[in-house]
Amino acid sequence: MELSTWLAFCAAAAVMVLIPGPTILLVIGQSLGGGLRNALPLAAGVALGDLVAMVLSLAGLGALLAASATLFTAVKWVGAAYLVWLGVTMWRAPVTAEASPPLPPSRAFRQAFIVTALNPKGIVFFVAFVPQFIDARGSFVTQAAILVATFVTIATVNALSYALLAGKLSGAVRRPSVRRLLNRAGGSVLVAAGLAVALRRA
């Protein structure tokens, strides 16, 4: 994998995990109630959940690539369209400011894992997002392993960062105006990424 491709993936993944979703709001709520110590199980749950979701998603993509490179390319086209749609949806999404109440560590880990790993939208997103950074001419397994490790690391650091900042910035993060700004910024990035993929293959 070329360094420029990996850096582009890092940037795109960082933007994606930065947008506060149900899991991040769970992290914020747990941190406010019990501090960083009780937030660590949540971060671990997020990491394991992302790992499981990405491995399952990429296993399916690997089988697809082995069956037909043309079909794999078609999935990339569909993925590009999905990224544009997701970006527009994120831009227009209604904003709420509710955070989950604090949970015991074991339940926090379990809930974060379930929310992250078994979210169908997350799996569909990985299927649409990750192929944009995979070269069908190279080793799929090697590239997939690099992207999985990178994304899980970024997601874990992001969850821990939100936990550390929750005590001081929780009000701002949950404020509708800030959430709306983050949604629109992330939506714009997704639309741009989808258009870039489509134009590159035109």
Side-chain angles (χ1 to χ4, degrees):
M1 177 177 292
E2 295 183 0
L3 179 60
S4 59
T5 300
W6 180 76
L7 291 175
F9 177 82
C10 289
V15 170
M16 284 310 306
V17 300
L18 184 63
I19 307 299
T23 302
I24 292 302
L25 290 180
L26 185 65
V27 170
I28 292 173
Q30 180 73 357
S31 300
L32 291 175
L36 178 60
R37 181 178 180 180
N38 286 346
L40 290 176
L42 281 166
V46 171
L48 184 58
D50 278 326
L51 178 62
V52 170
M54 289 196 74
V55 168
L56 291 177
S57 301
L58 293 179
L61 290 173
L64 185 63
L65 176 58
S68 171
T70 301
L71 188 57
F72 184 81
T73 300
V75 170
K76 286 191 174 186
W77 272 97
V78 173
Y82 175 75
L83 290 176
V84 172
W85 176 84
L86 186 62
V88 173
T89 300
M90 183 178 294
W91 178 280
R92 301 176 60 186
V95 176
T96 60
E98 295 297 327
S100 301
L103 297 172
S106 60
R107 287 188 58 196
F109 172 83
R110 184 167 58 252
Q111 184 166 334
F113 170 76
I114 292 174
V115 168
T116 306
L118 302 184
N119 184 355
K121 291 182 180 180
I123 295 176
V124 171
F125 174 76
F126 286 137
V127 172
F129 177 68
V130 175
Q132 317 306 329
F133 302 91
I134 290 180
D135 186 347
R137 298 168 297 180
S139 169
F140 179 86
V141 174
T142 300
Q143 295 177 84
I146 293 172
L147 296 181
V148 167
T150 300
F151 188 91
V152 170
T153 299
I154 291 174
T156 303
V157 171
N158 178 71
L160 287 174
S161 297
Y162 266 109
L164 289 171
L165 294 174
K168 294 182 178 180
L169 303 179
S170 59
V173 171
R174 290 181 295 179
R175 189 176 305 160
S177 60
V178 175
R179 294 281 306 285
R180 186 176 298 107
L181 177 62
L182 291 173
N183 282 351
R184 291 183 175 180
S188 298
V189 171
L190 287 177
V191 170
L195 292 177
V197 170
L199 292 175
R200 188 173 67 243
R201 304 191 185 284

